[in-house]
Amino acid sequence: MSNKEDIKRQVRAAFDFRMAVRVYNDQKIPQEDLDYILDAAWLSPSSIGLEAWRFILLENEAIKKALKDASWGAEYQLETASHFVLLIAEKNARYDTDSVRESLVRRGVGEGEALSKRLVTYESFQKNDMQIADNPRALFDWTAKQTYIALANMMTAAAMIGIDSCPIEGFNYEKVNSILAQYGLIDQEKEGIASMLSLGYRLRDPKHPRSRKPRAEVIFNDQPR
Ligand SMILES: Cc1cc2nc3c(=O)[nH]c(=O)nc-3n(C[C@H](O)[C@H](O)[C@H](O)COP(=O)(O)O)c2cc1C
């Protein structure tokens, strides 16, 4: 059994290993490793436990080819990655939809007064706090934002076992959605692409060292600046 310091070292090593990989070698990720990475998405947290997402493991070469023309940020990745995950977010996840109601039932809130009370809270949350209830774009952005947690968890899980990845939002959303609808992967009325993730094994190490702002420029305590 690893102790805490060992685990911290392993997690830190995974963050140091992870970089955005744009060109992969031809090694394929074993199915059990893919399942482990997808579990990281599945088990990710979501606002109000909504899970307003789906993760599509893309293996069909024809779909990848179609997506390439609409995805400037994924050109080489679509050609070379072992696997591709599409992160799909639900549209119109309003407080008064089955989706929200079902998420509460799934979480054991029950059907009665407790459920109604919670829905009133969520109505106010979406109307007054986030001010997204009557704006389809804002509602989609809300669920899409949550998929980024799953995106990050997949990247970290992959890096922990030496698998490379790259998050992708460099594509035309309208075109990608219509391609996915055309191949029967999404219902455009109800959902849309939020981001993509390429997975595989790097062809070569990076030419340049990782660059980050100095830690002190992004991590603060609560003293006034
Ligand atoms: C939300 C998001 C979207 C990104 N989209 C793309 C993309 O479309 N194509 C690409 O090659 N890299 C993409 N990247 C990778 C970033 O350019 C990269 O993570 C950043 O430059 C930092 O480098 P590093 O990941 O190697 O540390 C994206 C990263 C994030 C977090």
Side-chain angles (χ1 to χ4, degrees), residues 18-20 22 73-74 77 148 151 166-170 210 212:
R18 194 213 58 77
M19 52 174 263
R22 276 74 186 223
Q77 301 174 56
Y148 284 72
L151 181 69
C166 183
I168 297 157
E169 52 183 19
R210 177 175 62 193
R212 286 292 186 271

Side-chain angles (χ1 to χ4, degrees), residues 58-68 179 182-183:
L58 189 61
E59 291 175 288
N60 181 323
E61 290 303 324
I63 304 178
K64 283 191 198 170
K65 206 161 171 281
L67 289 176
K68 232 183 88 173
I179 292 165
Q182 195 186 315
Y183 280 93

Side-chain angles (χ1 to χ4, degrees), residues 193-209:
I193 183 91
S195 66
M196 305 175 183
L197 175 69
S198 65
L199 292 162
Y201 302 91
R202 65 188 72 178
L203 182 65
R204 59 180 93 86
D205 282 323
K207 286 194 204 105
H208 308 289

Side-chain angles (χ1 to χ4, degrees), residues 12-44:
R12 174 57 193 259
F15 281 116
D16 287 337
F17 166 82
R18 194 213 58 77
M19 52 174 263
V21 168
R22 276 74 186 223
V23 187
Y24 294 90
N25 68 24
D26 53 15
Q27 201 184 334
K28 286 277 166 208
I29 301 172
Q31 187 60 46
E32 64 269 24
D33 290 352
L34 278 172
D35 288 338
Y36 150 83
I37 292 168
L38 292 166
D39 281 356
W42 168 44
L43 298 171
S44 292

Side-chain angles (χ1 to χ4, degrees), residues 151-219:
L151 181 69
N153 283 342
M154 284 192 280
M155 289 193 285
T156 305
M160 293 284 302
I161 57 167
I163 293 176
D164 285 304
S165 61
C166 183
I168 297 157
E169 52 183 19
F171 53 85
N172 183 297
Y173 287 70
E174 210 177 301
K175 284 186 189 159
V176 166
N177 279 331
S178 69
I179 292 165
L180 299 181
Q182 195 186 315
Y183 280 93
L185 294 187
I186 63 166
D187 176 347
Q188 275 199 88
E189 288 291 304
K190 298 191 176 134
E191 53 191 1
I193 183 91
S195 66
M196 305 175 183
L197 175 69
S198 65
L199 292 162
Y201 302 91
R202 65 188 72 178
L203 182 65
R204 59 180 93 86
D205 282 323
K207 286 194 204 105
H208 308 289
R210 177 175 62 193
S211 102
R212 286 292 186 271
K213 289 180 181 176
R215 193 178 190 281
E217 271 184 33
V218 293
I219 311 281

Side-chain angles (χ1 to χ4, degrees), residues 46-57:
S46 55
S47 183
I48 67 169
L50 191 55
E51 300 174 66
W53 52 34
R54 296 197 301 123
F55 307 99
I56 300 176
L57 184 65

